[in-house]
Amino acid sequence: MSNNTDFDRDPPITDERIVKVGFYIASFIFGFGGNSLVITVMSRKKQKRSIPRLFILNLAISDLSFITVFVPINIYSYISTIYQNSYFCRLLIPLVTTIYFVSIFTIASMAVHRCRLITNPYRPKMRMRNAYIWIAAIWFSSFIIVLPLSVVSESNNGICYENWPSINHRKAYTIALCILQFVIPLLIIGVAYARIGIYLRRSAVPQSSLPALKRRKENIQVIKTLAMIVVLFVICLLSGQIAWLLLDFGGQKEFEIAKVIFKFADILDILHACVNPIVYGISNKHFRRECIQHFFDCFTCGSK
């Protein structure tokens, strides 16, 4: 997510805008439904609360919040003019960036916790109380990181701009956001999942028995899922980081390139929030069973 957001003042009605509005509406429906389903299933009182479920629940809440706040703003900006007052600049846009940070930090935290569980199965498990503290720290640190953006954001004639003391301050903050939003989380996720993959391959039992073959098949599926998580993270989040670096550190040529990249960066950000329920939820067989049970309970009104 960027450290600034700009909207056209008088958006013309073009085929490109119609297509994007259609995509935003479809992604809102899909993302809202998917993340709502995850929240509903993970919050069921019948199921025992666990730390992995707690992280998935927090990820779904952050992604749902991102979709319900960010997507309507984009839809409205494509069909009408948004007058960006002080409330919009100082609160709403930093709020979107904060939620964006929460989602990324949660994904990195899930990688660390999953790596600890798989590669150190005999170590004492984390307590639920510590998990709640961890999640609270994710939200608090996200707020602190975005706080400077809220402080420097101002409104001038209905347009948001950042009133930094100097251009170097703006560049330093852009680099900091890139490192905290993308570089460090990617390193954490990559190292954690690489360790899991190496551990699963080394611990595979080369036997032809049915339990051994089943275990090996499950390990291969886990490795494929982890690889997909890393690939989606890079594909969906890299373009936006590149665009803001080009915008703040390049010249006129880089500015034009950044404008082109921005046309797709927001779409990829939204897509990432929509596919997270699929990657972290539906790919898990236990979650699939709970979804089926949830729909069964809905259609039967909870009767046995």
Side-chain angles (χ1 to χ4, degrees), residues 48-66:
K48 183 179 179 181
R49 189 65 59 86
S50 64
I51 294 177
R53 293 173 66 91
L54 194 62
F55 278 126
I56 293 177
L57 177 62
N58 189 62
L59 177 63
I61 291 174
S62 61
D63 285 340
L64 180 63
S65 302
F66 179 80

Side-chain angles (χ1 to χ4, degrees), residues 230-271:
V230 177
V231 171
L232 285 174
F233 187 91
V234 174
I235 292 176
C236 293
L237 305 185
L238 178 60
S239 59
Q241 306 299 329
I242 294 176
W244 281 107
L245 291 175
L246 289 175
L247 183 65
D248 284 351
F249 291 90
Q252 183 62 33
K253 181 179 178 180
E254 288 75 14
F255 175 77
E256 297 299 328
I257 297 175
K259 287 176 60 178
V260 175
I261 297 177
F262 276 134
K263 293 182 178 181
F264 306 97
D266 289 346
I267 293 177
L268 292 175
D269 286 336
I270 297 171
L271 182 63

